[in-house]
Amino acid sequence: MYNSKITGLGFYVPENVVSNDDLSNMMDTNDAWIQERTGIKERHWIEEGSEDTSAVMGAKAARIAIEKANLTKDDIDFIVFATLSPDYYFPGCGVQIQEMLEMQTIGAIDIRNQCSGFVYALSTADQFIKTGMYKNILVIGAEYHSNGLDKTTRGRGVSVIFGDGAGACVLSRTEDNNKGILSSHLHSEGKYADKLIVPSPSIKNWVPEILASNGEDISYFPFMDGTFVFKHAVVRFSEVIMEGLTANNLTPNDIDLFIPHQANLRISQFVQRKFKLRDDQIYNNIMNYGNTTAASIIIALSEAFEKGKIKDNDLVVLAAFGSGFTWGSVVIRW
Ligand code: UT7
């Protein structure tokens, strides 16, 4: 069995910054409410007319990650792409990356696990490397939320939270069994699928319904029972972090950097208090990006690394919770 380690990181967010005040011109909301309830100050939203999509942003982040790994596109054996906002209902964004980066006809899969998407994607890639099947895997998380949000007061409980962006890493085989991904822990609880969901388009609700609805059918917008999701998030985050630490005979004290999925600053702060983590043991950037779902952890990881917050041998813990419900953690010795 081999270990896998992250050898290159990159992220891309659209230039267009949307402040909380900008949102208050679109709907009945305000900067004070958004900052107090979520910690978000601004997010990046793709501008109308831009070429950016989840796949395009993912490709931009991927090019940086491959370069930082000192590899070329031809060294990549496989693509794992996590998103809930793919360019097409099918095919997935993974195959678009293969084409956009002019790669060989390597395999590509999409992971549909929403906020836990990157954790699931990283874990999936890790298994392929552990078994020796692949050496270098491109793992991408990208979301184009802004075009699918209800930007009226009706949708304010959801739409102020989400941002667009992409992050990518190259996961590579290492012979050093003490380094890289130590373990990953994945969970789901489908009975709560309807608490955070975009019900349409679905095979049950298809083109005739879209045409008939004249924009009044809200099943095309994300729905979230925010309070319900929040309560489950804090419990599941805590459980899955402990699960990861216990599996490796570690304690919260051993964490050098914890990167939670950026769902809500209040959730991150709850977890920080619960595990008595110092400010330098946790990295949050939701203030500037909002919740970018499958992209949030990999954008935060790339940014933290760029800022020199991760050193060789550090213990880095990633954890996520979101729609499904799904949740998971990955424990990494850098
Ligand atoms: O990333 C995937 C996982 N997602 C999460 O983990 C998110 C978990 N949930 C949350 O982060 C929070 O529940 C939210 C940020 C979504 C909402 O915060 P909350 O403190 O739970 O607020 P609430 O939904 O209970 O709403 C409180 C009030 C309501 O008004 P009334 O009924 O008290 O009069 C809402 O209508 O705030 C109102 N409200 C707003 N006001 C201004 C809801 N959204 C807004 C808004 N601006 N954008």
Side-chain angles (χ1 to χ4, degrees):
M1 290 271 265
Y2 298 99
N3 259 21
S4 72
K5 69 170 188 178
I6 292 175
T7 51
L9 287 159
F11 76 99
Y12 168 85
V13 289
E15 251 173 57
N16 182 39
V17 174
V18 177
S19 68
N20 294 341
D21 287 339
D22 292 333
L23 293 183
S24 61
N25 294 325
M26 303 174 201
M27 62 188 86
D28 181 12
T29 189
N30 56 78
D31 178 56
W33 190 96
I34 300 172
Q35 284 216 45
E36 190 197 314
R37 306 283 174 135
T38 72
I40 300 167
K41 295 182 176 154
E42 58 191 23
R43 73 285 294 139
H44 295 244
W45 277 2
I46 292 172
E47 255 179 320
E48 221 182 301
S50 159
E51 59 152 15
D52 282 340
T53 62
S54 292
V56 171
M57 293 190 296
K60 289 177 180 174
R63 284 192 189 96
I64 302 169
I66 293 171
E67 195 188 319
K68 297 271 185 197
N70 285 322
L71 296 174
T72 74
K73 63 183 176 58
D74 295 327
D75 297 312
I76 302 296
D77 304 311
F78 194 59
I79 302 162
V80 185
F81 198 119
T83 188
L84 65 69
S85 48
D87 294 21
Y88 308 118
Y89 190 78
F90 70 84
C93 289
V95 300
Q96 289 178 268
I97 296 297
Q98 183 274 330
E99 165 65 9
M100 286 173 184
L101 268 56
E102 297 175 348
M103 298 165 111
Q104 301 166 46
T105 55
I106 56 173
I109 52 169
D110 276 35
I111 297 277
R112 296 278 311 275
N113 282 72
Q114 302 69 249
C115 299
S116 312
F118 187 76
V119 163
Y120 268 76
L122 200 58
S123 176
T124 302
D126 179 44
Q127 311 312 312
F128 280 114
I129 288 183
K130 277 209 164 71
T131 56
M133 184 160 171
Y134 296 127
K135 261 189 179 166
N136 297 303
I137 302 183
L138 184 57
V139 188
I140 302 171
E143 302 289 2
Y144 180 5
H145 283 306
S146 57
N147 214 27
L149 300 171
D150 181 354
K151 293 173 191 145
T152 68
T153 299
R154 183 180 64 183
R156 66 182 180 173
V158 173
S159 52
V160 302
I161 301 168
F162 291 101
D164 302 333
C169 73
V170 176
L171 196 68
S172 303
R173 181 190 290 180
T174 170
E175 310 282 331
D176 184 348
N177 280 335
N178 300 315
K179 285 276 178 72
I181 294 181
L182 302 183
S183 65
S184 52
H185 309 269
L186 309 176
H187 297 276
S188 72
E189 198 170 26
K191 72 177 167 190
Y192 297 130
D194 64 352
K195 300 295 181 188
L196 178 42
I197 186 171
V198 180
S200 298
S202 73
I203 295 301
K204 284 190 288 185
N205 192 7
W206 204 235
V207 180
E209 285 77 5
I210 299 176
L211 296 177
S213 105
N214 286 325
E216 291 307 309
D217 183 351
I218 58 165
S219 70
Y220 294 94
F221 293 120
F223 165 82
M224 176 165 70
D225 182 340
T227 314
F228 190 92
V229 175
F230 193 105
K231 285 181 188 156
H232 281 255
V234 292
V235 173
R236 296 307 194 187
F237 259 110
S238 307
E239 281 175 9
V240 83
I241 294 162
M242 261 336 279
E243 184 182 353
L245 292 172
T246 308
N248 295 286
N249 294 319
L250 297 163
T251 71
N253 254 340
D254 296 310
I255 297 176
D256 292 299
L257 197 63
F258 169 53
I259 301 188
H261 160 54
Q262 301 292 289
N264 184 322
L265 194 60
R266 286 160 57 211
I267 295 177
S268 300
Q269 288 166 341
F270 176 93
V271 175
Q272 180 180 359
R273 276 197 303 275
K274 172 151 187 158
F275 290 108
K276 297 189 174 63
L277 300 178
R278 300 180 310 273
D279 286 349
D280 64 299
Q281 285 176 290
I282 184 166
Y283 189 76
N284 289 304
N285 63 4
I286 190 170
M287 304 69 99
N288 303 114
Y289 299 110
N291 177 347
T292 57
T293 312
S296 96
I297 287 185
I298 182 62
I299 290 177
L301 184 65
S302 303
E303 195 175 67
F305 184 75
E306 246 174 40
K307 288 185 177 172
K309 291 186 182 292
I310 303 174
K311 301 177 305 298
D312 192 36
N313 225 35
D314 272 358
L315 188 79
V316 178
V317 176
L318 317 176
F321 173 87
S323 157
F325 291 150
T326 58
W327 61 102
S329 63
V330 178
V331 182
I332 304 171
R333 178 66 67 190
W334 205 264

